[in-house]
Amino acid sequence: QPSKHSQIPKQHYIDTRKTNTRQKLTKMATASSARVTLFEDIFEITALNPEGKKFERVNRLSATGTTFECDLLLDYNCQIYSLLEGEKMTLVLASTLNLDGSPDDHTSYNPATTYQNELTLADNYEYVMHGRVFDISYKKDGVVVIAISFGGLLCRLTGDQRHVSSILPDMRLYILVKKD
């Protein structure tokens, strides 16, 4: 009489084990992500291309944070990621993708970690870019404007300096986005 494991196709058995491992790692990733984030909020998209569409593959969104009431202008590649006016999205700025908080070298990305069941913060998000803070302006009443370039795709985050105080001039960081 065959054992119960021999009745399950071998490929299915292996895939199930990988899925269970990945689910456990994802739970760990979610718990660890709080240690590496510089800023996180849920934004409601108020407009797409508010000044008109400038580039075929790029949209600029305007959004308002639901928790910290920050204003966001963000360029993103609309051919690989779709967002619509009125949608909500979670946005995170992080100094590293390593869940243990260890610094990135910021010069290369190693996709091999995906095949070794080594999850990163990026595994919890749908759209990720790497960039550098190129300007921080302090306005009156404690308002700060942070400008970040992601290889030419720009981001401007405006809000109370208490909520963005860990973001520094010339800092390299990641932006991570997922729809809510």
Side-chain angles (χ1 to χ4, degrees):
Q1 182 171 357
S3 73
K4 74 176 189 178
H5 289 297
S6 65
Q7 296 171 3
I8 300 171
K10 186 176 181 182
Q11 184 63 36
H12 175 74
Y13 178 70
I14 291 169
D15 288 347
T16 303
R17 283 190 333 196
K18 285 182 181 176
T19 301
N20 290 340
T21 302
R22 187 161 289 287
Q23 287 171 344
K24 288 177 189 172
L25 289 171
T26 300
K27 286 180 184 175
M28 288 172 32
T30 304
S32 300
S33 66
R35 289 184 275 168
V36 298
T37 59
L38 302 168
F39 174 82
E40 181 174 3
D41 201 355
I42 296 171
F43 284 85
E44 184 170 349
I45 300 169
T46 55
L48 282 178
N49 301 309
E51 297 139 13
K53 191 153 175 78
K54 308 278 186 205
F55 301 102
E56 181 181 331
R57 298 178 180 152
V58 176
N59 276 345
R60 176 168 285 176
L61 66 81
S62 177
T64 302
T66 59
T67 304
F68 300 124
E69 298 178 354
C70 292
D71 291 324
L72 174 73
L73 273 179
L74 176 66
D75 296 344
Y76 66 97
N77 184 326
C78 59
Q79 283 192 321
I80 60 173
Y81 194 63
S82 173
L83 290 165
L84 301 173
E85 193 171 320
E87 281 186 321
K88 289 187 178 181
M89 64 178 196
T90 298
L91 179 135
V92 170
L93 296 175
S95 59
T96 180
L97 294 178
N98 299 323
L99 294 174
D100 63 1
S102 61
D104 281 338
D105 67 2
H106 291 285
T107 59
S108 62
Y109 170 68
N110 184 5
T113 57
T114 306
Y115 303 109
Q116 299 168 358
N117 281 334
E118 294 178 27
L119 288 184
T120 68
L121 186 59
D123 292 306
N124 291 328
Y125 294 87
E126 301 163 340
Y127 186 78
V128 178
M129 294 188 291
H130 178 263
R132 175 178 269 168
V133 175
F134 68 89
D135 188 42
I136 297 181
S137 318
Y138 297 92
K139 307 295 181 189
K140 59 183 170 180
D141 300 327
V143 173
V144 65
V145 179
I146 299 173
I148 309 166
S149 177
F150 299 98
L153 297 176
L154 302 178
C155 172
R156 184 178 71 207
L157 182 64
T158 305
D160 191 305
Q161 67 185 36
R162 293 175 296 165
H163 307 303
V164 293
S165 61
S166 55
I167 301 168
L168 305 172
D170 206 37
M171 176 181 264
R172 292 176 187 246
L173 48 73
Y174 297 90
I175 189 167
L176 303 100
V177 176
K178 67 180 173 183
K179 296 176 190 175
D180 284 343

